[in-house]
Amino acid sequence: MDVIDELLRSDPAIRWQALRDLADAPPDVVAAERARVAHEGWGARLLALQGSDGLWEGGACFPASYTGGEPGQPWTATMHTLQTLQILGLDPASEQARRAIALVAENGRWEHARQRYFDGEVEPCINGRTIETGAYFGVDVSPLVERILGERLADGGWNCEAENGSVRSSFDTTINVLEGLLAYEQAAGSSPEVREARRAGEEYLLERGLFRRLSTGEVADATFLDFAFPYYWRHDVLRALDYFRRSGAAPDPRAAEAMEVVRSRQQPDGRWLLDRVHPGRVHFAFEDGVGRPSHWNTLRALRVLRWWED
């Protein structure tokens, strides 16, 4: 309980989710705390950084000032900021969210070919995230969903490199698309086509234990075992397990090893650390640094454990 109490003393974005997912607080208490995200803390800070044109840093995927040569990828453009606001739980019905999304829809254009923001572009990893934030914030992204359903590969998942000839799915792209399709189902209702595609993508991950190569059983990427926040487009086992929790699925035995990875990272004081920060330009830090206790990883790990054990 001391760990939950610590979460409840954090930013409103942490508090409302801890109240809902760990403390079983009444819905009106949760809603009141969630409403504070638009006015206080991280959510309010991100909203204040939106430009008069509706974009963050003047770009959709990359800041307008970006010319390359920076360490990592800059995370300050519109796509990454909207995803972060959605993770924080900014209420889509709030005046601040409605105003922000209307400006993005009106003025946002992708760097690829100047496509309108919520029409998406060509990469399914980008389009999956666009579907997720669009559906969450009440935008009709059904044409983009139709496109992404047609881009599923034979092994059940998706890969941004398919346009360059790849015939194998990737963990990173697949988790982005799955989260998008789940948000779309939750907002607009399901269909047999969407449900089938999401189940196929889930099987792609589960057949690999969420982090292993199907061919050799080796760890596909060591970073999949590190818990980062924000995670942006990157896959890791905590992100994947939290997706399955949100989907309402029962725990699958094929994810048991990934669940043990989560358990093994809990510290003696009951918290989880920040394992990794994906390099790149940011608006501000959400945590105290790598190797330090992480509110976000602790929140997500505790609710995943509760889902798995209950």
Side-chain angles (χ1 to χ4, degrees):
M1 288 305 298
D2 289 342
V3 176
I4 297 177
D5 288 343
E6 181 179 349
L7 295 178
L8 294 175
R9 293 192 296 270
S10 184
D11 187 271
I14 293 282
R15 288 201 299 268
W16 85 265
Q17 295 184 61
L19 285 167
R20 180 192 64 183
D21 299 331
L22 303 176
D24 298 322
D28 60 327
V29 173
V30 174
E33 190 62 43
R34 185 184 189 184
R36 298 173 68 178
V37 173
H39 304 281
E40 302 175 26
W42 299 320
R45 289 179 67 184
L46 287 178
L47 287 168
L49 293 170
Q50 187 179 25
S52 58
D53 61 355
L55 305 182
W56 279 265
E57 295 261 303
C61 189
F62 293 95
S65 62
Y66 182 65
T67 58
E70 299 181 16
Q73 176 180 348
W75 306 113
T76 50
T78 301
M79 175 173 66
H80 317 294
T81 307
L82 284 183
Q83 181 194 38
T84 305
L85 285 168
Q86 178 254 317
I87 293 170
L88 297 183
L90 176 66
D91 187 345
S94 68
E95 178 185 350
Q96 293 84 353
R98 294 198 305 270
R99 181 171 61 247
I101 295 303
L103 283 170
V104 173
E106 181 179 357
N107 298 318
R109 296 293 184 273
W110 292 103
E111 292 82 0
H112 172 261
R114 305 301 296 167
Q115 302 99 321
R116 293 185 305 174
Y117 188 88
F118 288 109
D119 289 347
E121 49 120 275
V122 296
E123 296 189 11
C125 50
I126 289 175
N127 289 342
R129 293 169 69 191
T130 306
I131 289 168
E132 181 182 22
T133 54
Y136 177 84
F137 286 113
V139 179
D140 179 11
V141 289
S142 52
L144 191 52
V145 170
E146 289 300 316
R147 171 176 181 152
I148 218 162
L149 293 180
E151 294 174 340
R152 179 158 54 98
L153 299 176
D155 59 8
W158 290 263
N159 192 331
C160 280
E161 293 300 319
E163 64 171 331
N164 297 321
S166 177
V167 296
R168 295 181 179 177
S169 299
S170 81
F171 287 84
D172 292 318
T173 305
T174 299
I175 190 62
N176 285 306
V177 173
L178 284 176
E179 289 182 338
L181 294 179
L182 177 60
Y184 179 76
E185 284 188 281
Q186 291 173 336
S190 188
S191 69
E193 295 77 15
V194 172
R195 192 161 49 248
E196 177 190 356
R198 195 160 61 81
R199 295 292 179 263
E202 291 173 352
E203 281 297 306
Y204 171 85
L205 294 180
L206 289 167
E207 286 173 349
R208 293 157 177 79
L210 307 189
F211 66 96
R212 294 192 178 277
R213 295 187 186 280
L214 187 62
S215 56
T216 65
E218 297 176 350
V219 176
D221 186 327
T223 65
F224 293 170
L225 304 180
D226 290 341
F227 306 153
F229 190 88
Y231 41 75
Y232 304 116
W233 54 264
R234 299 294 192 93
H235 171 87
D236 65 57
V237 297
L238 180 55
R239 178 183 182 181
L241 286 164
D242 207 19
Y243 158 80
F244 281 103
R245 177 196 66 85
R246 292 198 314 274
S247 76
D252 191 297
R254 292 172 290 179
E257 188 181 10
M259 195 68 244
E260 285 307 311
V261 172
V262 174
R263 285 196 180 98
S264 73
R265 299 293 176 84
Q266 189 173 23
Q267 302 300 297
D269 64 4
R271 297 181 291 181
W272 277 258
L273 306 180
L274 183 67
D275 296 330
R276 177 178 294 271
V277 172
H278 296 306
R281 189 195 313 180
V282 297
H283 293 299
F284 52 82
F286 290 89
E287 305 278 17
D288 291 335
V290 172
R292 301 286 298 167
S294 164
H295 283 155
W296 280 108
N297 286 348
T298 298
L299 168 69
R300 295 187 295 143
L302 284 175
R303 67 189 180 192
V304 161
L305 277 170
R306 187 181 191 191
W307 160 73
W308 185 271
E309 293 170 354
D310 287 351

